Amino acid sequence: MGSTAEIRGYDLARSLRWEGGELFLLDQTRLPGELVEDRQNNIEMVWNSIKRLAVRGAPAIGIAGAYGLVLGLRDYRGLEPKAFLAKAERLAAYLDSSRPTAVNLGWALRRMLGRALAEASSTSAAIYDALVAEAEAIHAEDRAICHGIGESGLGLIKEGCGVLTHCNAGALATSELGTATAPIYLAQAAGRSFRVYADETRPLLQGARLTAWELQRAGIDVTLICDDMAASIMSQGLVDLCIVGCDRVAANGDFANKIGTMGVAILARHFSIPFYVASPSSTIDLDTARGGDIVIEERGTEEVTSFGGRRTAPEGVKVRNPAFDVTPHELVTGFITERGILTPPFSESLARVFG
Ligand code: MRU
């Protein structure tokens, strides 16, 4: 089987697959030029794939982390169960250290450890088999969640409308339909015609390299814009709603997503454009009270000082490179979840539906 999935007639990119006990990740750093899958030989390789964004997007790194833990434990099935469980805890902490902001990674690893503990009275081989089943369940559930988000958000995509999205919260960031893109794919399948504007998303160009690529090959009317063009496009009345993904939603509705998202939300408020956040339950973190408590990943300076492999900034210049920002809940119109669209006050609606 290749790296694409046939879904309702569209060729969606497959970010990862688990087959015959092996994990294959589509190397997203090589898109859109090359469609290459790498078999993950060990847990270090998975850690590195997450760190360098070969696999990226909150749900996808959660799933990759779960399978990564399985790979890491494969050679330790001969240990006695107590030592096996201790090893699982150490390896989960190691994988969790690869990226801090998306809650899905820690969530999936905690879920895996919970399953291992529940099987603690079995042999290590049986605990291992249970972990494989748990990782497969996380993977399958993500598929269903994306479809649920698509169904919840489908009514927002009206005939002839313009939708703006930021970064990639698409098929590549999940196991199938994506989150922000799920209503888009379903609206396309329903025969609606509409336009999508994809922000380029500096510095790593997830919008240009990934969203524009996956929407275009699915036959969706997508227009790529630089991040700094969003205000102008909105001012021309071309955008009827924004839908973005998220990496962590705090209990009060503040949420972290790719750097630049907050700017889009501020612009949307200025132009009175509804601003929606597609949020799988795996990204909702009610243990984090507010956005200020979310740890923001700071990445290497070379991502900012160069473009397309060529240096574009003077040597020695001071650089900041936060990979995410936190949008305050006041700017959010609604969270599109697999259990419906949540509206303000979010501290109440999030607790009621996901508490
Ligand atoms: O740094 P990335 O590419 O992993 O950032 C991805 C995003 O910010 C996505 O919008 C988010 O993870 C949601 S993916 C469904």
Side-chain angles (χ1 to χ4, degrees):
M1 198 183 301
S3 52
T4 59
E6 246 337 91
I7 296 158
R8 299 185 190 210
Y10 303 117
D11 233 6
L12 291 184
R14 196 193 291 272
S15 56
L16 77 177
R17 68 191 169 94
W18 174 255
E19 229 168 79
E22 302 286 354
L23 176 63
F24 299 86
L25 298 179
L26 181 64
D27 185 348
Q28 298 189 29
T29 65
R30 297 168 76 160
L31 289 172
E34 296 169 290
L35 198 61
V36 177
E37 272 187 337
D38 288 328
R39 193 184 69 186
Q40 306 294 294
N41 297 325
N42 50 49
I43 188 170
E44 290 79 15
M45 199 168 164
V46 177
W47 187 94
N48 197 40
S49 293
I50 296 173
K51 181 77 183 173
R52 69 185 184 86
L53 273 53
V55 61
R56 32 87 28 221
I61 65 174
I63 301 163
Y67 285 128
L69 184 61
V70 167
L71 291 183
L73 289 167
R74 190 158 55 185
D75 294 338
Y76 295 97
R77 281 172 281 185
L79 289 177
E80 52 103 9
K82 206 166 157 219
F84 184 81
L85 290 174
K87 185 80 187 166
E89 269 184 41
R90 278 197 299 278
L91 293 182
Y94 165 68
L95 281 167
D96 198 24
S97 71
S98 55
R99 293 193 80 187
T101 303
V103 68
N104 301 61
L105 182 58
W107 167 84
L109 292 166
R110 277 191 299 280
R111 183 167 153 176
M112 294 288 283
L113 290 179
R115 178 70 188 265
L117 275 179
E119 306 285 334
S121 57
S122 310
T123 62
S124 295
I127 300 173
Y128 176 85
D129 289 344
L131 286 176
V132 174
E134 194 66 23
E136 288 172 340
I138 289 171
H139 194 173
E141 283 168 28
D142 184 63
R143 244 178 250 130
I145 286 171
C146 290
H147 278 264
I149 289 173
E151 299 288 352
S152 299
L154 179 58
L156 298 173
I157 315 281
K158 309 262 191 263
E159 182 68 25
C161 79
V163 187
L164 184 137
T165 190
H166 189 73
C167 191
N168 174 266
L172 288 165
T174 64
S175 55
E176 209 169 77
L177 285 184
T179 60
T181 55
I184 291 172
Y185 285 124
L186 293 195
Q188 168 89 343
R192 266 171 235 173
S193 74
F194 54 91
R195 307 173 309 281
V196 177
Y197 295 94
D199 279 351
E200 163 187 56
T201 318
R202 265 288 278 161
L204 293 182
L205 308 182
Q206 287 93 331
R209 293 188 303 105
L210 310 177
T211 302
W213 179 79
E214 72 163 80
L215 293 184
Q216 187 186 51
R217 73 202 291 267
I220 286 165
D221 176 354
V222 58
T223 302
L224 174 65
I225 58 171
C226 297
D227 301 328
D228 45 16
M229 297 170 189
S232 168
I233 296 290
M234 287 183 185
S235 75
Q236 294 167 46
L238 296 171
V239 179
D240 298 288
L241 79 158
C242 301
I243 309 181
V244 299
C246 55
D247 288 83
R248 190 183 294 250
V249 181
N252 69 346
D254 296 349
F255 73 99
N257 191 47
K258 178 52 54 194
I259 192 74
T261 301
M262 176 166 49
V264 175
I266 292 168
L267 289 176
R269 176 57 55 94
H270 178 80
F271 290 108
S272 302
I273 295 168
F275 180 88
Y276 288 95
V277 185
S279 324
S281 48
S282 53
T283 306
I284 294 169
D285 179 15
L286 299 183
D287 292 336
T288 294
R290 61 192 70 78
D293 299 335
I294 300 174
V295 177
I296 299 295
E297 176 184 8
E298 187 94 21
R299 294 184 63 86
T301 57
E302 68 290 348
E303 293 178 357
V304 176
T305 56
S306 62
F307 190 88
R310 192 174 64 83
R311 192 167 177 100
T312 50
E315 293 290 346
V317 70
K318 288 196 287 184
V319 173
R320 286 289 313 276
N321 187 16
F324 300 93
D325 58 25
V326 173
T327 301
H329 62 273
E330 293 88 349
L331 297 177
V332 178
T333 307
F335 287 94
I336 310 171
T337 78
E338 73 270 24
R339 299 193 204 157
I341 298 180
L342 307 190
T343 51
F346 296 120
S347 48
E348 282 172 24
S349 51
L350 284 165
R352 189 176 62 248
V353 179
F354 294 104

